[in-house]
């Protein structure tokens, strides 16, 4: 009997050694609609990783907050509930001011300026992510941010009392300084919030308005190019460290492709979505001089507050950007 058991054990070990390693599957929560360009780039990234690892690591995306809501994604990846995820970094500025470096009002207003800022600020933000047990893979900017209303707006005085959808410390502060009432609403809940009157206005790119068909509820979009926030894709640090080198290289290579694709898509999507808003019936135009000047004055207050909170490291980033 002992010889038989040893033989069976030996056969089992041989089969285990001969069998291929079991494929690993990672679920990737994302906050925005499947048709949003960020989600499409994320899906392409996931397929690239699956193909690049020969199926050893399969990444499955879950858009529209279907796995975790936007506000839950970063925490879910930090704690290992999900191994990978995508999140709007500036939504976590309350945790660390550097997460909001891309949302300082009117510091940058174009893709080229934004990429120059990120080249300087990116390493510091990646370090903050690492401190939060997250390995940074790539990030993609949104198009320049504009403001949505259900009426003509010519000055900050016209904004008083409006319920304003906020998604970050910066947007909530902007609401307060303009006399609006900030209401926390995630992207997946935006259409419902507008339909029910929970929110009456918001700041975002043409992409969000187009994806959510906001012309069904709002009438005006004003281009102000306030900032270009970034969505970042990151991996739980423990999960990252548990990968072999070849798999890490595959993820890194696919991330570089996703970053380049995302930037190109964001640029192309800007004009496309503004045209889409107009086709939906919205009035799309540059904001008037008085409104822009008043918003920029508010932006200066917000910039001073950000610099105070960000300390020497934050000031060094902004000085390096302005002196580049």
């Amino acid at each position: 009997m002992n010889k038989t058991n040893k033989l069976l054990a030996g056969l089992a070990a041989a089969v285990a050694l001969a069998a291929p390693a079991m494929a690993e599957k990672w679920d990737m929560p994302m906050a925005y609609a499947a048709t949003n360009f960020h989600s499409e780039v994320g899906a392409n990234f996931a397929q690239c990783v699956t193909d690049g690892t020969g199926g050893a690591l399969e990444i499955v995306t879950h858009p529209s907050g279907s796995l975790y809501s936007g506000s839950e994604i970063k925490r879910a990846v930090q704690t290992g509930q999900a191994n990978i995820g995508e999140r709007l970094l500036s939504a976590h500025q309350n945790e660390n001011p550097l997460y909001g470096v891309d949302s300082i009002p009117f510091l940058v207003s174009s893709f080229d300026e934004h990429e120059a800022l990120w080249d300087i600020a990116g390493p510091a933000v990646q370090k903050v992510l690492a401190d939060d047990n997250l390995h940074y893979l790539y990030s993609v900017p949104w198009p320049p941010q504009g403001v949505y209303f259900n009426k003509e707006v010519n000055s900050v005085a016209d904004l008083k009392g409006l319920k304003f959808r906020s998604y970050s410390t910066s947007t909530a502060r902007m609401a307060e300084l303009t006399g609006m009432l900030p209401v926390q609403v995630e992207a997946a809940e935006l259409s419902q919030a507008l339909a029910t009157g929970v929110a009456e206005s918001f700041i975002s790119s043409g992409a969000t308005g187009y994806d959510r068909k906001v012309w069904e509820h709002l009438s005006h979009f004003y281009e102000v190019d306030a900032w270009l926030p970034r969505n970042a894709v990151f991996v739980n640090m423990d999960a990252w460290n548990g990968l072999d080198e070849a798999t890490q290289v595959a993820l890194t290579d696919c991330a570089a492709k996703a970053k380049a694709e995302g930037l190109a898509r964001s640029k192309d999507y800007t004009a496309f979505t503004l045209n889409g808003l107009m086709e939906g019936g919205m009035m799309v135009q540059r904001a008037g001089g008085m409104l822009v000047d008043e918003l920029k004055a508010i932006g200066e207050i917000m910039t001073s507050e950000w610099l105070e909170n960000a300390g020497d490291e934050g000031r060094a980033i902004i000085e390096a950007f302005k002196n580049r």
Side-chain angles (χ1 to χ4, degrees):
M1 182 64 69
N2 190 41
K3 289 182 179 180
T4 301
N5 288 341
K6 287 182 178 180
L7 178 60
L8 291 173
L11 287 172
V15 169
L17 289 171
M22 183 177 294
E24 189 171 357
K25 176 183 172 182
W26 284 6
D27 290 309
M28 180 175 170
M30 309 181 80
Y32 298 89
T35 54
N36 180 270
F37 77 96
H38 281 290
S39 300
E40 292 178 344
V41 170
N44 291 341
F45 162 77
Q47 189 61 54
C48 176
V49 173
T50 301
D51 294 342
T53 61
L57 175 58
E58 178 187 7
I59 295 180
V60 179
T61 59
H62 299 269
S64 294
S66 56
L67 188 61
Y68 292 99
S69 68
S71 62
E72 297 172 330
I73 289 174
K74 178 174 175 287
R75 181 65 179 171
V77 180
Q78 276 184 252
T79 58
Q81 297 173 72
N83 285 325
I84 187 171
E86 179 192 62
R87 179 60 171 151
L88 181 75
L89 285 178
S90 57
H92 297 278
Q93 183 178 332
N94 61 314
E95 300 172 20
N96 190 303
L98 291 182
Y99 283 138
V101 69
D102 58 9
S103 297
I104 299 173
F106 303 104
L107 176 63
V108 302
S109 58
S110 70
F111 285 101
D112 288 344
E113 288 178 338
H114 178 81
E115 289 304 301
L117 173 63
W118 187 250
D119 285 343
I120 296 167
V125 177
Q126 292 173 39
K127 184 179 182 300
V128 175
L129 286 168
D131 291 340
D132 282 345
N133 199 42
L134 297 168
H135 175 78
Y136 170 87
L137 282 177
Y138 74 90
S139 61
V140 172
W142 286 90
Q145 305 287 282
V147 281
Y148 291 83
F149 302 105
N150 200 28
K151 64 176 183 178
E152 181 179 345
V153 170
N154 296 304
S155 69
V156 167
D158 296 330
L159 309 181
K160 187 173 179 60
L162 289 178
K163 288 177 281 188
F164 183 80
R165 174 250 176 167
S166 67
Y167 60 79
S168 65
T169 301
S170 292
T171 52
R173 183 60 174 149
M174 175 175 281
E176 294 170 356
L177 290 171
T178 55
M180 294 187 287
L181 307 174
V183 182
Q184 182 73 31
V185 177
E186 289 294 331
E189 303 161 352
L190 179 58
S191 296
Q192 182 179 4
L194 295 173
T196 57
V198 171
E200 302 171 293
S201 60
F202 65 101
I203 184 167
S204 191
S205 67
T208 299
Y210 178 78
D211 289 341
R212 296 297 169 185
K213 299 181 180 179
V214 299
W215 54 81
E216 296 176 352
H217 312 291
L218 303 179
S219 59
H220 287 69
F221 176 77
Y222 292 96
E223 298 175 69
V224 296
D225 300 342
W227 59 76
L228 292 80
R230 295 182 83 90
N231 275 15
V233 172
F234 38 69
V235 175
N236 175 275
M237 189 67 76
D238 300 318
W240 172 261
N241 291 334
L243 297 173
D244 60 47
E245 184 178 357
T247 304
Q248 289 182 345
V249 169
L251 276 161
T252 302
D253 289 347
C254 289
K257 293 176 183 177
K259 180 181 184 296
E261 178 193 355
L263 178 58
R265 292 281 297 274
S266 189
K267 292 178 178 179
D268 292 342
Y269 212 44
T270 301
F272 172 79
T273 54
L274 294 184
N275 288 332
L277 294 178
M278 286 188 283
E279 290 171 4
M282 294 194 77
M283 178 70 71
V284 176
Q285 63 191 78
R286 300 296 305 183
M290 179 182 291
L291 178 60
V292 171
D293 289 345
E294 291 176 336
L295 288 176
K296 285 186 175 180
I298 288 170
E300 290 178 4
I301 295 172
M302 294 173 62
T303 300
S304 296
E305 293 174 346
W306 186 88
L307 288 169
E308 183 178 351
N309 290 329
D312 292 342
E313 188 170 23
R315 282 190 289 273
I317 290 171
I318 303 309
E319 289 175 6
F321 170 71
K322 290 183 175 180
N323 295 327
R324 71 192 189 283

